[in-house]
Amino acid sequence: DISFIGTVLEHAAAVHGVVVPIDQIRLARIALHRLGLIAKSAERDRRPTEDELARIIATAEGNRRQVIPLGRIIKFAVATAMRQDEICRVTLEDFNQEQSTLMIRQRKHPRQKLTNDQVIPLVSDAGFDAAELIIAQQRQSGRTSGFIFPYDGRSVGAAFRRVCRDLAIQDLHFHDLRHEAISRLFEADWDIPQVAAVSGHRDWKMLQRYTHLRPSFIASRAGTANRLT
């Protein structure tokens, strides 16, 4: 709130010529930081365990009353590192089966507000075959055009939370599947440019926030290196 107020006052001065002293805003921010009342939000490092992910997918696929193919969408999220709203926006026209690629239109970028279309490779190294999931969804729907997953992103998120609640899985968000996907690609020995070509990040600093390698994976790699030496 303090930052927002400061931004409004700075905009008023720069754009409208309404000069309002903002020293008190600056001092308030310093005081609140020192009192520990405001701070940067903690970065999430939550990844689903193999068991959690398997149970979520099995429960979603076993629910005959659910219209949304939640199990397939979850697999697709892990396979592509795509965001919830991106999954619900991509179309069959953007899917190139021959080249195994997918165009994501107007992809979110933290520093770029204009259209940011990106073609990503569809791979299976994260544990699920993204292209096969699209083909299966197309076969089931019987459509040859339009949205691949024609559902409201908020409804997908609500369905995911409902399954987690029913399974008593705590503190897991749909967006955490993006962290899972990126981490799996690194665990599959992808390098930074390759992972960025899927995730859409522009540099390692941005990508690092989404990378959370499992301690067991690091330990296994260290053990392999020791055996080789």
Side-chain angles (χ1 to χ4, degrees):
D1 292 338
I2 291 293
S3 296
F4 182 78
I5 292 171
T7 300
V8 170
L9 295 180
E10 289 172 355
H11 177 84
V15 177
H16 302 291
V18 180
V19 180
V20 179
I22 60 173
D23 287 345
Q24 295 304 318
I25 296 292
R26 180 179 59 82
L27 292 174
R29 185 183 290 112
I30 293 172
L32 290 170
H33 269 294
R34 292 183 176 176
L35 292 171
L37 298 177
I38 60 174
K40 289 184 177 180
S41 59
E43 293 183 1
R44 288 185 62 81
D45 60 0
R46 177 73 159 96
R47 290 179 61 182
T49 65
E50 292 286 348
D51 178 67
E52 286 175 333
L53 192 59
R55 287 195 292 136
I56 290 170
I57 292 173
T59 300
E61 292 180 339
N63 186 352
R64 298 179 180 273
R65 295 177 298 175
Q66 185 168 269
V67 176
I68 297 174
L70 183 62
R72 186 173 294 148
I73 290 175
I74 291 171
K75 293 177 183 178
F76 191 73
V78 174
T80 62
M82 288 171 62
R83 300 174 180 86
Q84 187 174 306
D85 66 313
E86 292 171 344
I87 293 173
C88 296
R89 282 194 287 107
V90 288
T91 67
L92 288 167
E93 290 86 348
D94 294 328
F95 171 47
N96 187 321
Q97 184 174 348
E98 182 179 344
Q99 297 183 6
S100 197
T101 61
L102 181 67
M103 167 77 79
I104 304 176
R105 300 186 184 277
Q106 298 183 344
R107 193 165 207 190
K108 179 182 176 182
H109 189 285
R111 301 194 187 111
Q112 184 174 321
K113 302 304 182 184
L114 299 177
T115 299
N116 181 43
D117 296 347
Q118 181 187 11
V119 176
I120 66 167
L122 298 176
V123 298
S124 58
D125 288 28
F128 303 104
D129 191 316
E132 286 298 324
L133 289 167
I134 294 177
I135 293 169
Q137 177 65 19
Q138 181 182 11
R139 187 182 302 120
Q140 181 177 326
S141 67
R143 290 179 293 100
T144 58
S145 62
F147 296 116
I148 297 171
F149 297 102
Y151 307 98
D152 189 302
R154 292 170 296 183
S155 298
V156 172
F160 182 84
R161 290 192 297 273
R162 187 163 51 248
V163 171
C164 289
R165 183 192 63 221
D166 293 344
L167 295 174
I169 294 175
Q170 302 295 323
D171 188 36
L172 185 64
H173 305 164
F174 190 93
H175 193 70
D176 294 332
L177 300 180
R178 180 164 162 83
H179 295 240
E180 176 68 15
I182 291 170
S183 299
R184 284 190 177 205
L185 291 177
F186 277 116
E187 290 170 352
D189 288 329
W190 284 40
D191 60 26
I192 293 172
Q194 290 173 326
V195 175
V198 174
S199 69
H201 292 99
R202 292 294 185 265
D203 55 46
W204 168 237
K205 185 176 181 180
M206 297 169 64
L207 188 57
Q208 189 176 25
R209 295 180 58 248
Y210 286 86
T211 306
H212 313 291
L213 303 183
R214 298 189 191 280
S216 58
F217 168 77
I218 298 172
S220 68
R221 296 303 295 269
T224 301
N226 290 335
R227 287 194 297 273
L228 291 175
T229 56

